[in-house]
Amino acid sequence: MATRRSTNLLKHLISTRHHLTHHRTVTYMPRPGDGTPRTVTLIPGDGIGPLVTGAVEQVMEAMHAPVLFEKFEVHGNMKAIPSEVMESIKKNKVCLKGGLATPMGGGVSSLNLQLRKELDLYASLVNCFNLEGLTTRHDNVDIVVIRENTEGEYAGLEHEVVPGVVESLKVITKFCSERIAKYAFEYAYLNNRKKVTAVHKANIMKLADGLFLESCREVATKYPGIKYNEIIVDNCCMQLVSKPEQFDVMVTPNLYGNLVANTAAGIAGGTGVMPGGNVGADHAVFEQGASAGNVGKEKVVQEKKANPVALLLSSAMMLRHLQFPVFAERLESAVKRVILEGKYRTKDLGGTSTTQEVVDAVIDALQ
């Protein structure tokens, strides 16, 4: 009798548990206001930088994003990034920046390169994709260019052997090549991407680019679910402008990545709308994805007609990096809605709007 009672009680508990589990409601959903505010280092930079970073500040405030900015004045003609700025980035782990002008020649090193080396921002990521409502020559473009950021031709190892003869060293290491290949394949895996293409010139630079390819091939064997192929950089450029939809994730050494990313950006809608970031193991710096035009022309600055879309989308990437996905989605949706409606566009997208008019339209779309 006691056994039967125990059996009936057990059945009742299982039934009750099943009932509760089946009808259990979701008690937590990420929503605006959740999450501890994060401090982000902000570098407005040169040229259009103050305009577009100012646009981000306005939009972040309007959407009550849990982000606080710590602003510093840094300019490309400085000899080095001020120590207090580096300390701020190392403390905050995340930075948002406008373009920093790099003087041509004269022995002044690029502050962008200093930043990448100092923080070991080994991966540059630029997402080039069609925006609905923006007419381009090619449809179905959605390319992610992942570029090794710390060595190659950008190592800065140059010297004059004798007057009139300059030697510039290209450095490729197994460690850095494997690291960027792992990042590319892991990105593809986590974002449900189907293919990774390694861009190279190993037919000429057999040792340097050969080492890069060897590293990519080794990493590729650990991701059997992702298709892997290789393409020579000159053929890659031709294929990009003729059939860009064939590419998915592209992994490249330093110099090729800069060329490929800017080409892909131009194909997908222009450098003014492509987001990007530079990431390392501990730090991340978000900026306009394609380097071409990130400082802008003086006339654009004077007329205050810089396109803020690229940095707004980069800010959405930053919000996702900070684990504020709902805010990221709200911001992306608002920007895409403004592009789709087509009423407010800057000159590079065929319109006449000012930066502020685009910002106001994005803020309205957030409501």
Side-chain angles (χ1 to χ4, degrees), residues 185 214-226 228:
F185 276 93
E214 179 188 311
S215 302
C216 290
R217 288 167 185 168
E218 288 176 8
V219 173
T221 60
K222 299 172 184 176
Y223 295 83
I226 298 172
Y228 169 71

Side-chain angles (χ1 to χ4, degrees), residues 44 73 99 121 140 168 206 222 240 279 307 347 362:
E73 286 295 321
L121 303 172
N140 304 315
S168 180
K206 299 181 187 298
K222 299 172 184 176
L240 265 175
V279 298
N307 192 345
K347 188 177 180 180
V362 171

Side-chain angles (χ1 to χ4, degrees), residues 155-172:
L157 300 174
E158 293 185 314
H159 64 276
E160 190 173 44
V161 182
V162 294
V165 179
V166 172
E167 187 174 57
S168 180
L169 302 180
K170 171 176 176 171
V171 178
I172 297 286

